[in-house]
Amino acid sequence: MKKMILFVGLFAWFVSNVAAQSVTSAQRRVYLMDIYDVTASQADRYEAVWSSVKEKDADLCDSRLTSKDFTKARKSLIREFRQEVSSIFNEEQYHIWETCNKEIDRYHVLSNEKLVTPKQLYGLFKVERQWLDDRNAIRTGGDPQNVKHQRQADLQKALQKEICRVLGEELGQWYIDEKALQQATIGNMDKYNATYREGERIARIDKEYKYKRKAVYAEKIKYAQKEEKLFQLDDQKAADVRSAVSRQVADRWFTITRNQLDYVLQKNYGLDKTQIARFKTAYNVYAIE
């Protein structure tokens, strides 16, 4: 335990250098021996188990499942991993490890691929737990919806600031971006009948073209020129999606993108085709008036 405390400072500076990339097996081996005071043999066995988990997760990401079934399967994989680690570490080592890593897949990435310290992991858990409690209190409170919306937006900004304080600016921003990407990916799975891998590719493309469109809007050119560039971006984005996912998923993406309003009205409000047509007619009348 004393050894772990001594090395907290040593690894704090190292984390900032690995925010953009995963680490090697050798680096993870040193991290395990220093942070959790494990033997070389324990570190080797841990590495073998972690490699197996990554392979199984890769297969899972390529499986065509609903987001609910995928999330359930990934949690099961994490529990299996924790059980394996409990047979490798002694009681004290495992207590420190499992207390900080929880059953959260993102935390295991931070621990095993970014080599953050137990102190940082536990700090992250506390700020995210507090954010969740505060968010639920806002949602169940009696404020008007517009006030709730603003309070939740302010709370989200405060959470991101705290994450960067705990993990450091570079790694904190990476974590925030990856968490948002993961949430978008999960949504894409059901929306487009996509695998997790395909959903993630679409999420990354969406993010890329969001910034590209923003850049076009910021250009000091005529509106007609902006419109032409935006149309070109739409064509490029469609081509990127078709090259990134299966034909069936790309076709569904194109259909939903072309009829986004229909999808939202059906998915969020349960309207059928007749009701959607009536809604559009009423809205067009309203818009003209």
Side-chain angles (χ1 to χ4, degrees), residues 103-126:
E103 289 187 0
I104 305 173
D105 52 0
R106 297 187 306 274
Y107 285 26
H108 286 281
V109 172
L110 285 173
S111 177
N112 294 296
E113 301 297 338
K114 305 303 178 184
L115 307 185
V116 304
T117 64
K119 180 180 178 181
Q120 289 173 300
L121 283 173
Y122 186 65
L124 177 63
F125 175 75
K126 286 200 298 183

Side-chain angles (χ1 to χ4, degrees), residues 9-23:
L10 173 63
F11 276 92
W13 68 266
F14 180 71
V15 165
S16 65
N17 294 324
V18 299
Q21 60 184 7
S22 296
V23 298

